[in-house]
Structures are given as structure tokens and as C-alpha cells.
Amino acid sequence: MILVTGGAGFIGANFVLDWLASQDEAVLNLDKLTYAGNLENLASLEGDARHVFVQGDICDRALVDGLLARYKPRALVHFAAESHVDRSIHGPGEFMRTNVEGTFSLLEAARNHWSALPAGEKDSFRFHHVSTDEVYGSLSPEAAPFSEVHPYEPNSPYSASKAASDHLVRAWHHTYGLPVTTSNCSNNYGPYHFPEKLIPLVIVNALAGKPLPIYGDGQQIRDWLYVGDHCAAIRRILEVGRLGETYNVGGWNEMANLDIVRQVCVLLDELRPRADGQSYFTQITHVTDRPGHDRRYAIDARKIERELGWRPAETFATGIRKTVAWYLDNQDWVAHVQSGAYREWVSRNYEARA
Ligand code: NAD
Ligand code: DAU
């Protein structure tokens, strides 16, 4: 089996669902279930013996040691993190604990486990670290997209904590030989995205008749990738990625925030027109900018394309249409997230099973 951390969050849950849809190898899913962890994302796996869920903290070394000894996973895919830039500005402490100390603790547990494995299993063991393009900082309008050798210039507490975790992963390979790979991906969007992030927030607010908040002038650029394509890239790296290497993952899809929000409005106007006949555009509102807001991210994905043959399957047009349709079809999921009812899922589903 493989061990996935943070598999109840947005990308982790998509990864677990895609993994089990395409093969039978079991997943041990370790997630603390912070506000961002939602077992309703994995409700379709209820009763599926291939998915073993453990609620726990990656910083809990005794727990992680016990899981590695008991389940002997052949690979570890590390998603667990505090992931929201705005939250890191309001309260950076948890970002340092989970993203930096948590990754350190996981690396040590993995090293301890890996170094005691018999030769064959030792060679095939993998630790894959899921990271972000934000570690590279902000690009000027004319600058070339981030390649894997771009200097690290993180600007937010979130990106600084992810940069620190990347450095730890690199060092554990170079010093101890731990068989690691790292991916640095651009902005994801798709199903199960927590509605604190731009795209799901805009869909949910639009339908509720609320303002669609644009930070500053809305001309900040991100490189958007459908979440299923990110998951496919990670599977490919696990399969054939070179040890100690990092791979940048992106959709060659740079767009300004205001254009993203307009596209979502156009789709909602088509798929769920407002009762008063007006466009959702009228709900767009400019608000005070994010402090230290990075102006532009863009990924040069040529290395993973060339070496591993990965390419995104979705264009932004196909991916965003699927995403808007998913939110329209899953209003219960949205309602449970907004009411907090999703957090009762653990007691509803698991306490009775004890
Ligand atoms: P998310 O916030 O939706 O999910 C994070 C998950 O980690 C949650 O289920 C949460 O409960 C769990 N978690 C948090 N702290 C934990 C701890 N101490 N122990 C165990 N579990 C814990 O995040 P996401 O958007 O799915 O991002 C997943 C990973 O991908 C992160 O490492 C993030 O930095 C990276 N990433 C995200 C994006 C993006 O656009 N969302 C892009 C590139 C990279
Ligand atoms: O680039 C990868 C990163 O993408 C990941 O590492 C992070 O985990 C993920 O959260 C995301 O970070 P961003 O800060 O880019 O995502 P967010 O959805 O918060 O914001 C996207 C852009 O939209 C950003 O420029 C800020 C802006 N924004 C965001 C919100 C929530 C707004 O204009 N209004 C908003 O209300």
C-alpha cells in the first residue's frame, strides 16, 4: 500500500479517489482533519477495504512510526499542510508547525523506516513531497516562467514554510540518501476545493447573491491547472521520477484573477442564470489587496513533459466547466462545509464503528 498524508483535503482527496479508481493498491490516509480536512470528500469510499483512514497529526512521531511499522507502505505521498496564504498572514504559527516541523518529523520517521528495510524494498521505497510554485516568489510581466533552477524567493509565511519543507526534503536525500522526489505545482482548481480559495469562493458567493471579492486591481496572474492533472503528474513521478529531482507542474495557462472570475460568471450565467435576469458580473467587487500579494506566477513544465511524458489532459475551458458543474451538482457538500456539518461526519461515520 501507499501512505498519503492530508488525503482528506482538496488535492489529497482527489488523489486518493483517482488512485483507487485506477488500481487496487490500498491507501493508508493520515489526516488530522483540520478545518480543511473533510471526510465527506471520500464518502464514495465508504466500506472500501482499500482505503484505511487514520485521524492523526503528521507531527505525532509515535503515531507515524507505528503506522509505518504496521502497514509497511512502499511509498509515502506528502500532501498534508496548512495551505491558505491569507490564513498564514493572520496566523503563521500553525504553518510553521505543520509545514516545517511536520515535514521534518515525517522525514525522520521515513528515514528510520527506510533504513531498516531489506535491500530490494529499500531501493523501491519513495517519499514524494507535494509543494508549490509560490516558493519561487513573484515574476515580473516579461520574465520567463519558473524552471526548476529558479532561485527560491518566498514572500508569504505560507510560501516560506513550504520553501523550508522543500529544503528539508532535499537535504534528507543528499545527506541520508532517502529516496525522495518533489513536485512544485501551480494553482489547482476542481471538485472538493474548500470555498476559501478564489474559484470555489466565487462560485459559492455568486450563487448566494454575495459580492465576488477581487483583491486590489485583480490583475495578479496565476497559472491554473485542473486538479486531476496534478494528481496524474504525481502518479507519474512516483512511477518513473528520478530520485532527488524536483519537477515543476503547471498548465501553461496564465490568467489574471479578474479574467478567472469573469469566466466563472459567464458559465454561471449560462448554467444557472440569475432569477432577475442580470449577469453575475454585477456582483464583482474590488476589495483591499492581500499584504505582500505576489503579482505573477507561471510554470515552465518542460522538464516533466520531456522526461516523464506528462501533459495536462484538461484545458482551462474544459476544466472550469466541469468544476462549475460539480459545484452546481453538489450543493449539499457546499452547505455542509458552510454550516460546519461536515465536521460531524467523523463522529457520525466512525464512532459507531469503534
Ligand atoms: P488543503 O488545505 O485543502 O488540505 C490540507 C489537508 O492536510 C487537510 O485535509 C488537513 O486536514 C490536512 N492537515 C493539515 N495539517 C495536518 C497535520 N498536522 N497532520 C495531518 N494532516 C494535516 O490543501 P490542498 O490545497 O489540498 O494542498 C495539498 C498540498 O498541495 C499542500 O502541501 C499544498 O502546499 C500543495 N499545493 C497546493 C496547491 C493548490 O492550488 N491548492 C498547489 C500546489 C501545491
Ligand atoms: O500557486 C499555488 C498556490 O495556489 C498553492 O500553493 C496554495 O496552497 C493555494 O492556496 C493557491 O494560493 P493562492 O494564494 O494563489 O490562491 P487563492 O485561491 O487564495 O488566491 C488566488 C488569487 O486570487 C490570488 O492572487 C489572490 C486572489 N484572491 C483570492 C481570494 C480568496 C482574490 O482576489 N480574492 C479572494 O477572495
Side-chain angles (χ1 to χ4, degrees), residues 267-278 280:
L267 281 167
L268 285 172
D269 284 341
E270 176 196 328
L271 299 172
R272 188 64 56 87
R274 272 175 40 160
D276 63 5
Q278 294 221 52
Y280 288 98

Side-chain angles (χ1 to χ4, degrees), residues 84-133:
H84 190 36
V85 174
D86 294 309
R87 285 183 193 257
S88 82
I89 296 167
H90 289 283
E94 208 50 35
F95 287 72
M96 302 307 135
R97 208 186 74 82
T98 287
N99 300 2
V100 186
E101 289 174 37
T103 301
F104 162 67
S105 183
L106 211 54
L107 283 165
E108 279 293 82
R111 178 166 78 91
N112 182 52
H113 171 73
W114 165 78
S115 51
L117 288 174
E121 289 174 42
K122 206 171 173 187
D123 288 345
S124 58
F125 186 80
R126 292 288 178 276
F127 183 112
H128 181 72
H129 176 55
V130 181
S131 193
T132 170
D133 59 358

Side-chain angles (χ1 to χ4, degrees), residues 11 82-86 131-134 158 162 185-188 193 196-202 212-216 218 220-224 257 261 287 289-290 293-295 297:
I11 307 175
E82 289 293 334
S83 68
H84 190 36
V85 174
D86 294 309
S131 193
T132 170
D133 59 358
E134 300 204 10
Y158 163 69
K162 290 297 290 188
C185 189
S186 60
N187 285 62
N188 285 211
H193 206 180
E196 64 182 355
K197 310 281 169 60
L198 180 68
I199 289 180
L201 181 90
V202 163
L212 313 181
I214 305 283
Y215 295 165
Q220 303 83 4
I221 289 171
R222 299 289 182 269
D223 178 352
W224 295 90
N257 293 339
V261 174
V287 298
D289 209 350
R290 172 186 278 172
H293 199 170
D294 284 338
R295 202 66 189 162
Y297 304 142

Side-chain angles (χ1 to χ4, degrees), residues 299-313:
I299 281 282
D300 177 343
R302 282 178 296 179
K303 179 176 172 183
I304 188 170
E305 292 176 354
R306 189 179 60 244
E307 291 190 9
L308 309 188
W310 171 87
R311 271 196 185 64

Side-chain angles (χ1 to χ4, degrees), residues 120-192:
E121 289 174 42
K122 206 171 173 187
D123 288 345
S124 58
F125 186 80
R126 292 288 178 276
F127 183 112
H128 181 72
H129 176 55
V130 181
S131 193
T132 170
D133 59 358
E134 300 204 10
V135 297
Y136 299 122
S138 191
L139 287 169
S140 62
E142 325 70 41
F146 301 128
S147 75
E148 287 78 2
V149 295
H150 195 93
Y152 270 43
E153 290 175 340
N155 290 320
S156 72
Y158 163 69
S159 55
S161 69
K162 290 297 290 188
S165 68
D166 292 8
H167 293 323
L168 293 176
V169 172
R170 176 189 162 88
W172 260 240
H173 175 69
H174 280 266
T175 304
Y176 303 114
L178 189 69
V180 307
T181 47
T182 295
S183 48
N184 293 85
C185 189
S186 60
N187 285 62
N188 285 211
Y189 66 97
Y192 306 110

Side-chain angles (χ1 to χ4, degrees), residues 1-2 19 23 25 72-76 124-126 238:
M1 64 161 37
I2 61 165
W19 181 271
Q23 60 198 300
E25 187 175 21
K72 302 183 173 42
R74 70 162 177 96
L76 200 160
S124 58
F125 186 80
R126 292 288 178 276
L238 264 186

